[in-house]
Amino acid sequence: MSQLAPALDLARINTELGRDAQALVRWAVGLNQPTIVTTNFRPFEAVILHLVAQAQPGVPVVWMDNGYNTEATYQFADAVTKQLNLNLKIYLPRRSRAHREAVEGATPALDDPRHAAFTEEVKLEPFARALRETAPKVWFTALRATDTAVRAQMDPVSINPDGLIKVAPLLHWSSKDLYEYCEQHGLPNNFDYVDPTKGEDNRECGLHIAH
């Protein structure tokens, strides 16, 4: 996907900038490549959105709205989008929640064989569609090392097999760091958040394994 990716000295970039979120964002924006930032409007998502929007106003903000979000999450999404003047791009599953539940019933449990297909339908397929339509070379994500065992092994900057440069400026931030950033910049927050594809806080949803 990118002729730029092979030329990057990832070891040097991660060593020099990996724990300086603002500097890492400026570096990535300075690549002058098509860029997106993904969000799910979970707690502290305003931090990545503020960091990236300050450095690159108008950057496409991709949200895979699975249709199962809480009222507070939808309200938070509207509030932070308005406050930061985000260029929000919403990607919905091919079927509505009402359609899916009418045919297949409630959300399948984590140990249900149908759960993988559910995750594919409400999260992975919409994200694949978003990647096709936005065609980014750089992807900002708010993932953190404390989220899951998989993420604990990641570097702040990595290159996916398809050449997409994935940048995680907040990888080494604590919840305290995120809270203080929100307070400092007057950013809204949301703690009433549920991800039906994960079920448990420390479980991968598949997005960062597939991409």
Side-chain angles (χ1 to χ4, degrees), residues 125-163:
E125 188 282 327
F127 185 54
R129 197 172 353 124
L131 289 179
R132 290 195 302 272
E133 293 184 8
T134 60
K137 302 291 178 61
V138 176
W139 167 23
F140 283 108
T141 171
L143 63 80
R144 293 163 57 207
T146 55
D147 289 339
T148 69
V150 169
R151 299 177 190 192
Q153 303 303 314
M154 291 181 174
D155 289 318
V157 181
S158 57
I159 299 174
N160 290 357
D162 57 6

Side-chain angles (χ1 to χ4, degrees), residues 64-76:
M64 285 74 71
D65 176 8
N66 55 43
Y68 289 80
N69 288 293
T70 64
E71 288 185 10
T73 298
Y74 287 113
Q75 291 162 359
F76 171 62

Side-chain angles (χ1 to χ4, degrees), residues 83-96:
Q83 181 170 333
L84 300 181
N85 193 30
L86 299 178
N87 178 20
L88 185 62
K89 308 288 187 183
I90 301 174
Y91 284 83
L92 302 168
R94 299 289 190 187
R95 292 187 297 176
S96 68

Side-chain angles (χ1 to χ4, degrees), residues 150-184:
V150 169
R151 299 177 190 192
Q153 303 303 314
M154 291 181 174
D155 289 318
V157 181
S158 57
I159 299 174
N160 290 357
D162 57 6
L164 184 61
I165 301 166
K166 181 158 66 173
V167 184
L170 307 178
L171 188 69
H172 299 301
W173 283 39
S174 67
S175 294
K176 182 174 184 288
D177 295 330
L178 296 168
Y179 174 80
E180 290 176 351
Y181 188 97
C182 288
E183 289 292 295
Q184 178 184 351

Side-chain angles (χ1 to χ4, degrees), residues 33-141:
Q33 297 294 315
T35 300
I36 63 168
V37 54
T38 52
T39 185
N40 49 16
F41 295 108
R42 69 172 181 167
F44 302 118
E45 284 290 287
V47 176
I48 189 72
L49 298 173
H50 183 266
L51 279 169
V52 177
Q54 292 292 305
Q56 186 177 350
V59 63
V61 175
V62 172
W63 180 27
M64 285 74 71
D65 176 8
N66 55 43
Y68 289 80
N69 288 293
T70 64
E71 288 185 10
T73 298
Y74 287 113
Q75 291 162 359
F76 171 62
D78 282 2
V80 75
T81 297
K82 182 178 180 180
Q83 181 170 333
L84 300 181
N85 193 30
L86 299 178
N87 178 20
L88 185 62
K89 308 288 187 183
I90 301 174
Y91 284 83
L92 302 168
R94 299 289 190 187
R95 292 187 297 176
S96 68
R97 176 178 177 176
H99 184 171
R100 189 180 314 108
E101 292 189 344
V103 175
E104 299 181 21
T107 306
L110 295 180
D111 58 357
D112 189 315
R114 299 175 301 152
H115 196 273
F118 171 77
T119 298
E120 174 68 28
E121 179 176 358
V122 305
K123 179 172 285 187
L124 302 183
E125 188 282 327
F127 185 54
R129 197 172 353 124
L131 289 179
R132 290 195 302 272
E133 293 184 8
T134 60
K137 302 291 178 61
V138 176
W139 167 23
F140 283 108
T141 171

